[in-house]
Amino acid sequence: MDVARGKVVETNSQQLTAAQQEAVAHQDGPMLILAGPGSGKTRVVTHRIANLLQIGVPAHQIAALTFTNKAAQEMGNRLATIAPGQDVWMGTFHRFCARLLRRYASMVGLAENYSIYDTSDSKQAMKRAIAAAEVSTSHTSADQIAAVISRAKNRLVSPEMMQGQSLRHNEAVAARVYPVYQKQLLLSNAVDFDDLLFHVANLLRENPELRSELDSRYRYIMVDEYQDTNLAQYAIVRSLSVDYPNLAVTGDPDQSIYGWRGADINNILDFEKDYPHVKTVRLEKNYRSAPNILRIADQLIKHNTRRKDKQLLTDREEGAPVVLRMYEDGYREADDIADQITAAIQNEGCRPQDFAVFCRMNALTRSVEHAFRSRGLPYQIVNGVEFYQRKEIKDLLAYFHLVNNPAHDVALQRVINVPTRGIGAKSIERLRDFADGNGLTLLDAARNSDQIEALPTRSATKIRQFVEMFDRLSLKATGSLEELLLHLLEQTDYRAFLRKSSVDEQDNSPLANVDELLTAAVEFDRQFPEDGSLEAFLEQVALVSDTDAFDEENDRVTLMTMHAAKGLEFPRVFIIGVEDDLLPHYRSKEDPMQVEEERRLLFVGITRAEERLQLSCCKRRALRGDLRPVVGSPFLMELPREEMRFIEPEDSNQFFDSGDEFGDESFSVDGDAPEIWDQSNDSATTNEIDEVCQLPPDELPAKKAAKKPALIPAGLKTAANLLNEQSNDDKIPLNDFRNGMIVHHEEYGAGKVTAVSGRGPKRTATIEFSSGAARSFRLAFAKLTLGEQ
DNA sequence: GATGTTCCATTTTTT
DNA sequence: ATGGAACATC
């Protein structure tokens, strides 16, 4: 795994505060560390581990459970600096369970080479289960059923327990699908994400000897982000802390943001009830943020009812006021933020990595990305799973999965006709029927394809050929990943298939992705030369999370969701789209508890900022295709306006330095400005837009049309588009770089392209200059123009 | 059976 | 806007 250095320089334990020292010194018995944002929680936990080691606790008796690999890594790195060479187990809950489950797979009816289905795999499996269960999905959907089942598993509800309960419609449907789905998973020797926890929790509950063995094996357990644990996770740590109740959990109820995934905030709120003799430590001193940022955060979170009241204290100096800014639309918002960052880098000596832009949902990163790219501002989008969700990567990995676990039906269905080899939907359906009818896996059914009466000989032959190809491939399973992948690519002629099926000729990114996967395989081979690396590789791939993609060594502006931002910190933070229906999201507005969670999400975002913070919202936002009027988030009303600096769009001729005037009066000066803080639906702008939108295009009043970008049909150029195009004018489109092309670089002069790889912002070209030097450039940022031939 | 077309919903957040 | 699924055509 990559080694990322922590930003915080470790100091010795003398410099811990009294509260921190108290937590560090705690040895036996349960402990609850209520740690506010930026309170040095990771530092406390690592020092405590070091302390335990020092007093003679063997490293293998300690386990630290986190929610992301990133957090585990960070902890590991820090521990390495204060207690080097100690083999303390650190990792995510899911990885911990995956590991236990490998060992005790047979006890839950799995084989040790079981596969972990990712979300799309389990969705496929779900569809098949729904069909097999013969239920109607007329008033529900596969997604809804999946959600109900997921929730059930998180709450340790088994298929049997779900029967016979009085349920709502989609729950009743789910209750019928659930047992079928579980049976199919077992037959496929597979688990979904929830099963990792579910199986382990059941294992511990049903096998007292095993439970006590593991309890004594893991005598000291630490859980990070305890506020985000669900019932299954709760049950797991609880049953590992009976004989040796040395469970130390850290968390902050105010940062509980995974309720939608089954996390139960009561786990942390009731911890003291669960463990009567618990030692509770509150870390309330904040080392991260300027006081004005903390006051804003504090004011906001005070509006929640389900919480433990907590102070946020800091010694830091007062900083610049928090900015609350309104823009005309998302494009202006993105452009302005890009400009602000560019200016700060030029004039204030900031570096790209000092900045982060947070949003409620991934879709909002698009416009920001565009603005950054057009300015040559280096950035990283933190969504680690993206690469592994690309078609070509999923295809190849599906072959890997099938080699590792031939029962993996989802993988087989994915690849049996990829590349196309004449096995169509009908054949697959017959194969599936045969498998279902005889309780076989799809591969076993395929091995007996000549016995399937419904199958034409022609199809049976094709299927047999596929099985033969697969068997040849399987022979490579014990070799290196590189060897396996190369063999696979050759046997299936996959690259040719990609070239043939790619829609536009220019786009060779699928091929570049294949190369990137190859690189990853080689790298994994290098790191884990032992046997069995295929399984380990697939497990690692299955359990990567978005946050894991964050690279703090990289000098780039970071773009991510607030969920992904938890646990991180940046000197300057922008939070975009602080708008009603987005934050809080409209789906969460019915339930006051969910609204509180949304408020906590904003709290998490705000408290990531060290020095400066800007919250912004727009008058209009392009979402789901078209530009719609929006209003500011009700949360903005909860902030102490007198402490903030409010900035309106320039072209409405309004500029308010600070908050006193920020209310009604500000807006009434200009009749055109919408009352963004007013949630009522009858705001002037809303009506105006609606009204105009109903007119046929040629009847649009010219004046209004000119003023409202909202009314410009997609495809026409907006001012923002034009601007961006201009600045890109002389640059070569990314995908136009070809080997042998002659280019010109500002600094190095003329050169020839010798290699191109990567895609999107990572697209890179190697160029040999006339001086003889060769250099690689990220094309999105390099200053390259077309050279003379 | 393969390929192309249209239509549809779908998007909150993620291990 | 995008991608998947259903439908139509070769």
Side-chain angles (χ1 to χ4, degrees):
Chain A
M1 241 164 256
D2 300 344
V3 173
R5 240 164 288 129
K7 270 196 265 184
V8 178
V9 177
E10 284 300 335
T11 53
N12 59 36
S13 53
Q14 267 79 1
Q15 291 181 13
L16 297 166
T17 62
Q20 288 180 329
Q21 264 176 35
E22 202 184 339
V24 167
H26 178 81
Q27 291 173 13
D28 289 356
M31 172 164 66
L32 168 64
I33 302 174
L34 287 169
S39 59
K41 174 192 60 173
T42 308
R43 191 157 163 249
V44 166
V45 171
T46 47
H47 273 93
R48 173 163 183 258
I49 293 174
N51 192 47
L52 289 173
L53 292 168
Q54 206 175 8
I55 62 172
V57 175
H60 68 265
Q61 289 185 355
I62 306 173
L65 299 172
T66 61
F67 272 76
T68 64
N69 298 302
K70 193 92 217 157
Q73 235 173 67
E74 164 92 10
M75 214 182 264
N77 293 334
R78 294 231 211 147
L79 185 66
T81 68
I82 53 175
Q86 296 279 4
D87 196 17
V88 175
W89 197 90
M90 291 174 172
T92 63
F93 256 106
H94 286 82
R95 214 176 272 285
F96 181 76
C97 291
R99 205 178 83 137
L100 282 182
L101 209 52
R102 293 267 174 235
R103 190 123 156 237
Y104 305 104
S106 62
M107 296 175 75
V108 297
L110 291 165
E112 64 177 20
N113 64 330
Y114 72 84
S115 303
I116 301 169
Y117 278 3
D118 68 18
T119 314
S120 76
D121 292 336
S122 56
K123 200 175 156 191
Q124 289 305 119
M126 190 64 68
K127 282 183 186 160
R128 192 172 164 200
I130 289 168
E134 295 180 320
V135 295
S136 148
T137 54
S138 55
H139 291 286
T140 177
S141 66
D143 283 330
Q144 279 189 52
I145 294 172
V148 172
I149 292 177
S150 172
R151 223 178 310 132
K153 286 181 180 176
N154 287 158
R155 309 200 58 241
L156 297 179
V157 174
S158 66
E160 300 79 46
M161 287 157 72
M162 214 165 152
Q163 309 306 315
Q165 292 186 28
S166 63
L167 301 162
R168 269 181 279 173
H169 174 70
N170 61 348
E171 292 171 333
V173 175
R176 289 181 55 196
V177 177
Y178 190 6
V180 180
Y181 173 68
Q182 281 314 96
K183 219 176 113 196
Q184 291 192 354
L185 279 173
L186 278 188
L187 183 65
S188 299
N189 190 27
V191 300
D192 62 22
F193 285 134
D194 303 315
D195 279 339
L196 286 170
L197 307 172
F198 184 68
H199 281 317
V200 169
N202 286 334
L203 205 56
L204 292 168
R205 191 180 53 198
E206 290 161 11
N207 302 278
E209 302 88 50
L210 178 62
R211 190 212 60 74
S212 94
E213 183 193 325
L214 291 172
D215 191 346
S216 91
R217 162 87 168 76
Y218 299 105
R219 292 195 193 186
Y220 293 85
I221 295 180
M222 261 154 272
V223 182
D224 197 19
E225 310 283 12
Y226 191 70
Q227 76 281 354
D228 287 327
T229 50
N230 58 34
L231 186 71
Q233 289 162 325
Y234 170 84
I236 291 166
V237 292
R238 180 108 218 211
S239 55
L240 293 177
S241 311
V242 178
D243 308 323
Y244 298 89
N246 309 318
L247 174 64
V249 306
T250 65
D252 178 2
D254 291 337
Q255 295 183 64
S256 166
I257 54 176
Y258 285 100
W260 51 273
R261 209 171 75 189
D264 188 348
I265 192 172
N266 292 315
N267 287 347
I268 191 163
L269 292 174
D270 295 341
F271 191 80
E272 287 160 311
K273 283 184 214 154
D274 291 334
Y275 296 89
H277 302 298
V278 65
K279 177 181 194 75
T280 301
V281 179
R282 305 172 93 91
L283 304 179
E284 295 178 307
K285 176 142 178 216
N286 179 296
Y287 298 90
R288 179 187 295 153
S289 308
N292 39 332
I293 294 173
L294 285 184
R295 283 196 301 272
I296 304 266
D298 194 47
Q299 284 296 314
L300 175 72
I301 205 66
K302 276 200 168 122
H303 288 81
N304 272 6
T305 55
R306 290 289 289 157
R307 65 184 297 255
K308 285 177 186 275
D309 198 23
K310 173 163 49 52
Q311 295 295 309
L312 294 171
L313 309 167
T314 183
D315 290 344
R316 289 182 65 127
E317 277 179 34
E318 191 72 20
V322 173
V323 174
L324 174 52
R325 187 151 190 165
M326 187 175 31
Y327 296 101
E328 287 291 337
D329 55 50
Y331 305 106
R332 311 265 180 99
E333 184 181 48
D335 284 337
D336 178 65
I337 288 171
D339 286 339
Q340 284 191 52
I341 294 174
T342 309
I345 290 170
Q346 274 171 9
N347 308 328
E348 300 176 57
C350 295
R351 312 213 305 177
Q353 64 184 358
D354 296 336
F355 300 89
V357 179
F358 300 154
C359 54
R360 176 68 235 267
M361 52 184 190
N362 283 121
L364 296 190
T365 59
R366 298 268 165 215
S367 54
V368 182
E369 204 185 341
H370 187 249
F372 283 3
R373 199 179 308 157
S374 70
R375 285 163 182 75
L377 199 55
Y379 64 91
Q380 60 176 331
I381 295 188
V382 180
N383 50 356
V385 297
E386 198 201 15
F387 177 74
Y388 293 103
Q389 283 171 352
R390 307 199 77 84
K391 268 189 288 296
E392 58 277 13
I393 300 305
K394 290 220 76 167
D395 286 346
L396 294 171
L397 286 178
Y399 276 103
F400 272 28
H401 268 119
L402 198 59
V403 167
N404 181 240
N405 170 22
H408 197 309
D409 279 3
V410 174
L412 185 132
Q413 264 201 91
R414 183 174 185 102
V415 299
I416 192 168
N417 199 33
V418 175
T420 46
R421 44 176 80 90
I423 305 171
K426 210 78 201 167
S427 299
I428 295 174
E429 194 188 315
R430 286 172 182 150
L431 194 63
R432 201 167 41 210
D433 288 346
F434 184 77
D436 286 345
N438 296 282
L440 297 174
T441 65
L442 288 177
L443 186 67
D444 284 336
R447 286 190 191 285
N448 298 298
S449 59
D450 51 346
Q451 291 173 29
I452 306 175
E453 279 150 28
L455 210 59
T457 327
R458 205 183 145 76
S459 305
T461 309
K462 299 247 169 76
I463 291 177
R464 202 188 64 234
Q465 285 166 352
F466 168 77
V467 173
E468 284 163 2
M469 190 278 293
F470 169 76
D471 285 340
R472 283 196 301 278
L473 184 63
S474 292
L475 295 177
K476 306 277 176 187
T478 52
S480 68
L481 290 176
E482 182 188 13
E483 206 182 328
L484 178 64
L485 184 52
L486 287 174
H487 183 80
L488 168 60
L489 290 169
E490 190 220 328
Q491 281 285 309
T492 58
D493 208 3
Y494 192 77
R495 282 201 176 94
F497 165 72
L498 279 185
R499 256 179 249 120
K500 197 158 56 94
S501 57
S502 81
V503 186
D504 83 84
E505 293 290 314
Q506 302 293 76
D507 186 20
N508 61 355
S509 60
L511 286 165
N513 286 334
V514 171
D515 289 335
E516 208 172 324
L517 182 65
L518 196 53
T519 310
V522 171
E523 175 61 15
F524 197 90
D525 283 335
R526 199 182 58 74
Q527 280 185 46
F528 305 94
E530 338 73 68
D531 250 20
S533 64
L534 177 58
E535 187 176 286
F537 179 71
L538 292 173
E539 181 174 308
Q540 193 183 92
V541 167
L543 297 180
V544 295
S545 70
D546 278 351
T547 325
D548 299 335
F550 172 66
D551 180 359
E552 73 185 340
E553 300 284 275
N554 228 328
D555 192 9
R556 298 166 171 275
V557 181
T558 301
L559 234 59
M560 62 179 147
T561 64
M562 279 177 272
H563 282 91
K566 194 164 64 157
L568 303 176
E569 56 188 19
F570 300 89
R572 301 191 181 195
V573 168
F574 296 86
I575 303 181
I576 62 172
V578 188
E579 288 147 21
D580 197 18
D581 284 345
L582 206 51
L583 183 70
H585 193 269
Y586 73 99
R587 294 283 294 269
S588 65
K589 283 168 82 174
E590 294 151 29
D591 179 358
M593 287 298 113
Q594 284 188 48
V595 174
E596 293 210 347
E597 179 158 313
E598 298 280 308
R599 191 180 281 112
R600 290 192 292 266
L601 190 57
L602 182 56
F603 175 81
V604 167
I606 290 173
T607 52
R608 302 306 95 197
E610 294 168 2
E611 295 160 15
R612 293 206 190 180
L613 172 67
Q614 169 180 308
L615 309 177
S616 59
C617 61
C618 296
K619 292 183 182 177
R620 301 175 193 84
R621 182 168 297 278
L623 214 55
R624 231 174 57 220
D626 49 9
L627 210 48
R628 297 185 42 206
V630 292
V631 298
S633 164
F635 294 151
L636 294 174
M637 293 296 283
E638 301 170 358
L639 303 178
R641 56 182 71 177
E642 65 286 353
E643 289 204 29
M644 300 168 73
R645 188 178 134 119
F646 176 62
I647 307 176
E648 262 207 287
E650 281 167 30
D651 48 1
S652 50
N653 287 328
Q654 294 287 313
F655 188 89
F656 293 96
D657 217 2
S658 80
D660 287 319
E661 308 296 328
F662 166 86
D664 310 323
E665 206 190 323
S666 329
F667 288 104
S668 57
V669 177
D670 181 348
D672 202 35
E675 297 174 353
I676 61 158
W677 318 122
D678 181 354
Q679 289 181 71
S680 63
N681 291 330
D682 57 359
S683 95
T685 305
T686 311
N687 285 342
E688 228 169 273
I689 298 257
D690 284 345
E691 195 182 298
V692 177
C693 282
Q694 280 158 15
L695 296 173
D698 52 344
E699 284 178 49
L700 284 181
K703 201 180 90 193
K704 282 185 177 177
K707 262 174 77 180
K708 311 276 186 207
L711 303 173
I712 298 175
L716 282 195
K717 296 191 188 323
T718 62
N721 285 338
L722 281 173
L723 263 176
N724 291 333
E725 264 169 40
Q726 270 166 22
S727 66
N728 261 339
D729 224 312
D730 49 1
K731 287 183 95 180
I732 310 165
L734 289 195
N735 287 329
D736 285 5
F737 281 89
R738 289 285 176 278
N739 281 356
M741 201 166 152
I742 305 296
V743 293
H744 184 87
H745 186 275
E746 239 175 37
E747 201 178 323
Y748 300 93
K752 191 169 90 177
V753 178
T754 58
V756 198
S757 66
R759 60 180 171 76
K762 286 194 176 156
R763 196 161 167 75
T764 306
T766 306
I767 295 164
E768 249 176 56
F769 291 100
S770 40
S771 64
R775 292 189 53 109
S776 292
F777 296 94
R778 287 291 172 92
L779 293 175
F781 311 120
K783 297 194 175 80
L784 290 168
T785 49
L786 210 53
E788 329 285 273
Q789 281 292 341

